Amino acid sequence: MYILILGAPGSGKGTQGNILAERLGLPKITTGDLIRTAMQDGTPFGVEAKKYYDDGKLVPDSVILSLIKDQLARPEAKQGAILDGFPRTAAQAELVDKTLAERGQRLNHILLLDVTEDELVRRMADRGRTDDTPAAIANRQNIYQRDTAPLIAHYTQRGIVHRVPGTGTVDQISEDIKRIIGR
Ligand code: ADP
């Protein structure tokens, strides 16, 4: 089973993704974490990504598509995975759809974490990542609305989008998700 957790920056994708991955025994693929690790390690990919990351801009598809392809090809992810932080653009969504379709698989559920903008900004201010500066936060919210929110319409047509209110406690939200997924 492939489940995509979608939501604006600060909506709690990582937290809920971890709980879900553990419960279902599936690997979680988190592009943001992979990028942060590469930046820390100073790999060529990390150095390139940093040019965009700190400003809150998306790392270009020309750089990120091969990372996504590699991650989906990992043996652990062959039967399913929790996708956190991607697909985030139309090109990424196409790649994911195509890669899974070639294996006779598909995205089964999209969980859309719904959180108000005030709450998003408050949460990120508490977090203190290098891309949690006011300017970078504003960029990330704008880019989410421009590039990522349109994917919701694309997946809604397939009837696989579930809206999850993201403002309750961590436990309440994960119970909601359990009910939606059915396990
Ligand atoms: P958030 O959702 O709070 O922005 P992420 O860790 O998902 O946190 O993303 C942080 C940053 O990492 C993004 O602003 C972007 O620079 C980069 N990034 C993560 N995933 C992707 C992706 N799929 N495509 C392009 N850039 C990405």
Side-chain angles (χ1 to χ4, degrees), residues 112-131:
L112 179 60
L113 290 180
D114 233 345
V115 178
T116 62
E117 201 149 324
D118 287 354
E119 174 70 10
L120 295 174
V121 172
R122 198 183 60 70
R123 288 186 189 178
M124 284 188 290
D126 286 348
R127 203 163 60 175
R129 249 167 39 190
T130 58
D131 62 337

Side-chain angles (χ1 to χ4, degrees), residues 113-178:
L113 290 180
D114 233 345
V115 178
T116 62
E117 201 149 324
D118 287 354
E119 174 70 10
L120 295 174
V121 172
R122 198 183 60 70
R123 288 186 189 178
M124 284 188 290
D126 286 348
R127 203 163 60 175
R129 249 167 39 190
T130 58
D131 62 337
D132 284 341
T133 61
I137 288 174
N139 263 339
R140 282 154 61 210
Q141 299 297 352
N142 289 336
I143 291 168
Y144 176 78
Q145 292 305 332
R146 192 192 65 197
D147 293 338
T148 307
L151 301 182
I152 298 165
H154 166 76
Y155 290 121
T156 297
Q157 287 178 343
R158 288 201 221 159
I160 55 172
V161 175
H162 315 276
R163 258 171 214 280
V164 184
T167 28
T169 64
V170 169
D171 281 351
Q172 279 164 351
I173 299 165
S174 76
E175 279 304 312
D176 272 354
I177 292 176
K178 193 173 182 177

Side-chain angles (χ1 to χ4, degrees), residues 3 12 17 25 34 40 42 54 57 63 82 117 135 148 154 157 161:
I3 301 174
L34 293 164
Q40 268 159 23
D54 284 345
K57 294 182 180 151
V63 182
I82 310 297
E117 201 149 324
T148 307
H154 166 76
Q157 287 178 343
V161 175

